[in-house]
Amino acid sequence: MNLILERTDQVRFFTNMREVIAALGISCSDYDWYVSDIETNGFQFAEGWYSGGELEPQITSDDIQFIWAVFSAFPKGVRVEVREAPFVDGNPHYWDGSEPGPQLDGASFEIACWESSATILVGLDAEKAGSYRSTFSDAVDLKSAARK
């Protein structure tokens, strides 16, 4: 399932990953993460692989706003070769009306931070989608927000 949260007052600011992770009903430590295409509100954040234990303190220690970023979640212990890093800025697949999947093979799901004005969730299972929607009722199916 693919969702987008935009045009809402249900968040203090968009793309606060601490709030996104909590709304999904998961912990960072449940996964390994590949983070790419990163621009923040001034915080240094390196592209690459993170264990959940490494990622969690980074996103919970400060109010980091990810203006652009892709967080690809993998089962713990799974790290694939990344030939082309996932990207959000300029990615047409979010807006073409299709049902995109995670950009990296083997990823369980991905979270895309869109221009600090939307959070895009790709490849969620029903449980995570339901949890997210119970926190952010303004989230809608990504396909319905297509900008053809």
Side-chain angles (χ1 to χ4, degrees):
M1 182 172 291
N2 300 329
L3 301 175
I4 185 169
L5 181 66
E6 63 180 344
R7 297 184 200 105
T8 183
D9 60 0
Q10 293 182 321
V11 293
R12 189 166 48 103
F13 62 87
F14 281 97
T15 59
N16 178 333
M17 290 303 294
R18 175 180 40 213
E19 293 178 356
V20 174
I21 297 293
L24 289 170
I26 62 172
S27 168
C28 282
S29 60
D30 295 338
Y31 298 90
D32 280 349
W33 299 85
Y34 189 82
V35 186
S36 57
D37 197 16
I38 305 164
E39 182 183 338
T40 71
N41 60 336
F43 289 89
Q44 295 300 311
F45 205 95
E47 180 169 307
W49 283 103
Y50 292 84
S51 69
E54 294 167 331
L55 183 62
E56 190 159 15
Q58 290 196 38
I59 66 169
T60 59
S61 63
D62 292 299
D63 281 334
I64 300 175
Q65 182 176 25
F66 289 88
I67 297 164
W68 299 102
V70 178
F71 288 76
S72 301
F74 286 81
K76 286 172 76 168
V78 174
R79 293 192 178 192
V80 300
E81 180 182 349
V82 179
R83 295 176 192 217
E84 188 174 323
F87 68 103
V88 60
D89 187 7
N91 189 331
H93 299 294
Y94 296 128
W95 310 116
D96 65 6
S98 67
E99 290 288 345
Q103 294 174 66
L104 289 176
D105 288 338
S108 300
F109 61 92
E110 80 182 24
I111 304 165
C113 305
W114 180 269
E115 199 175 14
S116 67
S117 63
T119 305
I120 300 170
L121 305 143
V122 175
L124 296 180
D125 62 28
E127 184 178 344
K128 287 178 197 64
S131 179
Y132 192 82
R133 280 184 158 159
S134 72
T135 303
F136 299 118
S137 58
D138 288 343
V140 298
D141 290 329
L142 178 60
K143 192 172 186 174
S144 70
R147 298 179 176 125
K148 295 180 183 179

